[in-house]
Amino acid sequence: MKSHFVCVMIYRMNPEKGEYEFLVIESVSTHPVTGLKSEKQTKFPGGMNRIPDESVGLTGQREVLEETHLAFTRFEKIWEKQVSEDHAKYGLLVRFEDCRGERRTEMLVDNGDEMSPPDWVPLSTLKWNLFPGHQPALLAAMEYLGI
């Protein structure tokens, strides 16, 4: 079965500070075999496809809705990495203006992962604290936005 992982970078310009901000979640993951918990990690909303023919866009939309309670229809696919013959990773960039709904305000537990409510983090802080696996997608977003 072919699989893919999608991380979605929702961004806005903070009008008071004139700086880009991204919507992120603080996450503590539980290893499925050992049950050990990870350190707290700052991540973009995202996840894996659930069925083989689920499109990259649909995976991103579903994961963002589940993890943030926001919905979007417009996005740019700005990053792609073929990890193996059967697995790829993607980064989608979404303007906050293209989102609808109210952000989740309570903790969420999903398959053993504990997730904080999504919150805005300035790029100047985020680039030093982001989960390493999401760094390549952030770099692609910065290039795409001309930052």
Side-chain angles (χ1 to χ4, degrees):
M1 174 179 122
K2 292 199 178 235
S3 65
H4 59 257
F5 174 86
V6 179
C7 74
V8 181
M9 297 160 285
I10 300 171
Y11 73 98
R12 70 178 185 187
M13 178 64 74
N14 182 307
E16 288 116 32
K17 298 178 183 172
E19 182 176 8
Y20 281 102
E21 296 178 322
F22 288 84
L23 196 61
V24 296
I25 295 169
E26 298 291 328
S27 175
V28 175
S29 300
T30 303
H31 191 280
V33 176
T34 65
L36 296 175
K37 293 194 178 290
S38 71
E39 298 286 325
K40 189 186 305 182
Q41 302 166 328
T42 302
K43 296 181 174 182
F44 293 119
M48 300 276 293
N49 59 309
R50 294 220 177 121
I51 55 175
D53 61 349
E54 183 176 60
S55 71
V56 170
L58 186 57
T59 300
Q61 290 168 322
R62 179 180 49 74
E63 289 290 341
V64 165
L65 186 59
E66 290 171 2
E67 295 181 9
T68 69
H69 293 178
L70 297 174
F72 66 89
T73 54
R74 293 176 35 168
F75 63 88
E76 295 289 332
K77 183 168 70 171
I78 61 161
W79 180 75
E80 179 177 344
K81 179 180 180 185
Q82 195 68 39
V83 178
S84 70
E85 186 178 307
D86 294 328
H87 184 70
K89 294 181 179 182
Y90 298 93
L92 305 183
L93 189 62
V94 175
R95 296 180 324 148
F96 181 59
E97 294 82 19
D98 293 329
C99 294
R100 300 292 174 262
E102 294 292 322
R103 274 189 296 147
R104 177 174 58 81
T105 58
E106 69 285 344
M107 287 294 292
L108 175 67
V109 178
D110 181 28
N111 290 330
D113 294 346
E114 302 165 11
M115 295 182 227
S116 72
D119 203 8
W120 293 106
V121 174
L123 177 60
S124 58
T125 302
L126 180 63
K127 63 185 177 183
W128 304 110
N129 297 313
L130 186 63
F131 176 66
H134 291 199
Q135 285 284 354
L138 178 62
L139 292 173
M142 291 169 64
E143 183 177 333
Y144 184 89
L145 295 170
I147 303 171

